Structures are given as structure tokens and as C-alpha cells.
Amino acid sequence: MTISLSRSPAFNQDNEPNSSRLSTTQKIAKMPISQIIRTRLETASAPYFANDNISEFISDEERKELKKEIEGKLQSLFDSLVIDTQNDHNTKETARRVAKMYVDEVFKGRYHPMPKVTDFPNAKELDEVYTLGPITIRSACSHHFVPIVGQAWVGILPSDRVIGISKFNRIVDWVMSRPHIQEEAAVMVADIIEDLIKPKGLAFVIKAQHMCMSWRGVKEPDTKMINSIVRGAFRTDPSLKKEFFDLIRAHGFHEC
């Protein structure tokens, strides 16, 4: 896409600075990069909820600039928490580390594009259920920004397109690397897989522990949340649904 609202200077056709546009450019140059990106998103009527991917609206250079801005805001947070980061060797570089972690690691699914996923013809016309899992999931609760950690399982009844099995792990990791609630995350993963290969049947299960319950709040260490998505043949054919759950129980899924 063409990225607008850049910090580049504006020139008229004679290659001379246009005074009316120059003032706008000067204003843009003073804006925090987050405001430039937010304005760009709003101009395009693009959503930017916590679990949305906004990579299409951010250049590589802007991601670097965004990390610097986040670092500054985090440093202000630590100052308000009355932490002496200047002299404390443990937290001296923490603001920088956390900013990089948010943009490039734990929330990379917001700021980076989806990994390339190549699909292939189902040349052998495979028509049996196959499952993958457990797939390790790591996310964060959008209510408290603390970890969600667990496992996921995928079931596919293929149609005329297939993808390599490692691509399911990459899709799950990319979607889960955002602030989420688990129910919405499961739907998003299922939607992407369905759009990519349009299987005859799709099943997706997540079982995870939420640190917003085990680390804070009720401080319950044993409770886990399980939710499942079943579509197509898995939804309409009870025997296929049973086959899927029997298969994933055989490789690690237990409902309690």
C-alpha cells in the first residue's frame, strides 16, 4: 500500500517548497509516530483494536521509531512507579527491552505482517481427517496485559488445497502474538485457516491458563480455559467431530 502522512518534505512542481504544505509538514515532523500511524488508520477507516493487525499501515523505519516512543513512555511509567532506573543495574535498560519485546516479539502479530503461507493442490485427493498438535500458544490478556499460555490442536478435512503442517504453527503464533481474549483468538485463527485452504471441515481447540486469574485476582493456579471451533463437516457430522476429539486426546488433549 502507499503510506501517507510521512515525514518527508513537500515540494511543488517547480521543486520549490510550498509554504502552505510546508507548515503541514512541519506539524507532522513534530507529531509522535504513534499519532501519525493512528491518523493514517482512521483516515482509512481501519480498525486498530488490541487484537487487530496494523502492519499494513507501518513501514519498517516507523516500527523502529515506534519502539523509541514506547521506550520513552515506559520510562515515564517506571519513574511514576518510583524505580531508580538510573542507578538500578537490573532495570537500567528495561524500558528499551520491553519496547522491543512488545513490537517485535509478544505483540508481533499486531505490528508485523503474516508469515508467507504457500498452499498446494491436494493432488492425491486426500479425504481423511488429519490433526496437528499440541501447538504451544503464547498470548496476553487484553484486560491486564499478562500472559496466556497453553496449547492448541487443529483438525482438517481437506478440500482441493493444502498447506505445509508447520504453517499451522506459524499462523497460530502470529495470531496469538497480540493482546486477546481467548474466545476471539480462536475464531481469528479458524477464519484465517478457512480463508487460506477452504477445507471441507475445520476444528480448532485451545486450552490455556490465564495469568490474570493465577497471578492476580482470585489467584487460582489450576483453572484452565478450553474453547473449540468446529466448522463444515465437523459441525454437521457427529462421527467426524468424535473422530477429531478422539485423535487429539491421543496426542495430549485432556478436558480436565
Side-chain angles (χ1 to χ4, degrees):
M1 63 167 288
T2 301
I3 297 179
S4 59
L5 274 182
S6 70
R7 297 196 193 276
S8 304
F11 291 90
N12 63 18
Q13 289 183 341
D14 297 322
N15 223 27
E16 293 294 329
N18 182 309
S19 58
S20 63
R21 292 185 67 189
L22 189 60
S23 61
T24 302
T25 302
Q26 288 171 332
K27 290 176 184 177
I28 292 172
K30 294 178 181 179
M31 283 185 187
I33 190 62
S34 61
Q35 186 177 341
I36 291 175
I37 296 166
R38 184 179 293 107
T39 301
R40 193 179 294 151
L41 286 156
E42 291 173 350
T43 300
S45 299
Y48 53 100
F49 292 170
N51 61 2
D52 283 318
N53 177 270
I54 59 172
S55 62
E56 185 181 357
F57 298 88
I58 308 175
S59 70
D60 291 341
E61 284 302 313
E62 287 172 333
R63 266 198 302 271
K64 295 177 184 176
E65 195 173 343
L66 185 61
K67 282 184 278 191
K68 292 299 294 182
E69 181 184 334
I70 294 168
E71 178 183 344
K73 298 291 178 65
L74 285 166
Q75 185 58 55
S76 296
L77 171 63
F78 298 146
D79 292 344
S80 295
L81 289 170
V82 198
I83 299 173
D84 181 5
T85 57
Q86 293 302 309
N87 297 297
D88 177 9
H89 61 282
N90 290 319
T91 57
K92 193 165 189 174
E93 296 292 327
T94 296
R96 178 186 60 79
R97 287 190 292 264
V98 174
K100 180 179 183 296
M101 176 188 76
Y102 278 155
V103 175
D104 294 336
E105 297 176 88
V106 296
F107 296 157
K108 68 182 178 185
R110 271 183 62 72
Y111 304 106
H112 293 262
M114 188 173 82
K116 186 176 180 180
V117 177
T118 304
D119 61 308
F120 305 94
N122 182 4
K124 298 294 185 180
E125 298 184 354
L126 304 172
D127 60 356
E128 299 290 339
V129 173
Y130 66 91
T131 64
L132 295 99
I135 299 169
T136 300
I137 61 166
R138 305 168 191 86
S139 191
C141 165
S142 54
H143 297 159
H144 294 94
F145 271 39
V146 294
I148 298 171
V149 180
Q151 295 177 318
W153 291 261
V154 179
I156 299 291
L157 182 63
S159 183
D160 58 348
R161 307 297 294 179
V162 294
I163 59 175
I165 60 173
S166 69
K167 304 307 182 187
F168 291 100
N169 298 62
R170 295 183 187 280
I171 291 166
V172 170
D173 179 61
W174 180 70
V175 172
M176 297 305 297
S177 296
R178 308 171 196 180
H180 269 299
I181 63 169
Q182 185 173 320
E183 307 95 302
E184 292 179 357
V187 172
M188 292 175 75
V189 171
D191 285 348
I192 289 173
I193 294 172
E194 197 165 40
D195 288 344
L196 281 170
I197 56 175
K198 297 178 173 51
K200 293 177 182 175
L202 168 65
F204 183 64
V205 172
I206 296 178
K207 177 182 179 182
Q209 183 179 34
H210 293 238
M211 298 300 171
C212 58
M213 282 186 61
S214 62
W215 186 40
R216 59 158 300 281
V218 296
K219 296 186 178 179
E220 172 53 65
D222 294 324
T223 299
K224 293 180 174 63
M225 180 178 181
I226 301 172
N227 64 296
S228 64
I229 306 290
V230 286
R231 295 180 179 173
F234 288 112
R235 192 176 188 89
T236 59
D237 186 338
S239 65
L240 281 175
K241 184 176 180 180
K242 181 180 183 301
E243 181 180 354
F244 166 71
F245 280 100
D246 286 345
L247 285 168
I248 67 173
R249 286 188 188 99
H251 54 90
F253 173 73
H254 301 285
E255 294 175 340
C256 61

